Amino acid sequence: MILVTGATGTVGSEILRVLSAQGVDVRAVTRDLRKAETNQLPHVSFVQGNLDEPKSIRAMCDGVERAFLLTNSSERAEQQQITFTRVAQVSG
């Protein structure tokens, strides 16, 4: 399974479409599950997640083999990416 963060944005939505068309199982992460309603695709399951919370990152990484990490351009982006990478490594 591939994890895609930022799944309801412009780039993330396109990645979901491509992976879904290829039959790849995807766990799509969004902060707001209401946004997922317009992005229903085969092989894609949405979960709510928060890249500022290590506990949330651990849950979203459970059972995932690969990840596409996409964060907003914000003052927190670097820390979110570092935290995600560390938690994902520990999660295997």
Side-chain angles (χ1 to χ4, degrees):
M1 178 180 301
I2 297 177
L3 176 77
V4 176
T5 67
T8 56
T10 303
V11 173
S13 294
E14 185 60 27
I15 290 169
L16 294 183
R17 281 191 282 281
V18 170
L19 292 173
S20 175
Q22 294 176 359
V24 177
D25 289 328
V26 179
R27 180 174 298 149
V29 181
T30 182
R31 289 174 292 171
D32 184 355
L33 284 176
R34 291 175 295 185
K35 291 181 180 179
E37 295 171 5
T38 61
N39 291 315
Q40 296 300 313
L41 296 166
H43 310 286
V44 176
S45 61
F46 280 89
V47 296
Q48 188 171 18
N50 186 333
L51 293 175
D52 290 318
E53 298 176 5
K55 184 177 179 180
S56 178
I57 297 170
R58 277 190 295 279
M60 66 177 80
C61 287
D62 185 38
V64 169
E65 297 170 4
R66 295 190 175 131
F68 180 85
L69 175 61
L70 179 64
T71 57
N72 287 332
S73 295
S74 74
E75 67 280 351
R76 295 185 333 272
E78 180 181 10
Q79 188 57 50
Q80 288 174 331
Q81 294 166 4
I82 290 168
T83 301
F84 179 91
T85 303
R86 289 181 179 157
V87 172
Q89 285 176 330
V90 170
S91 297

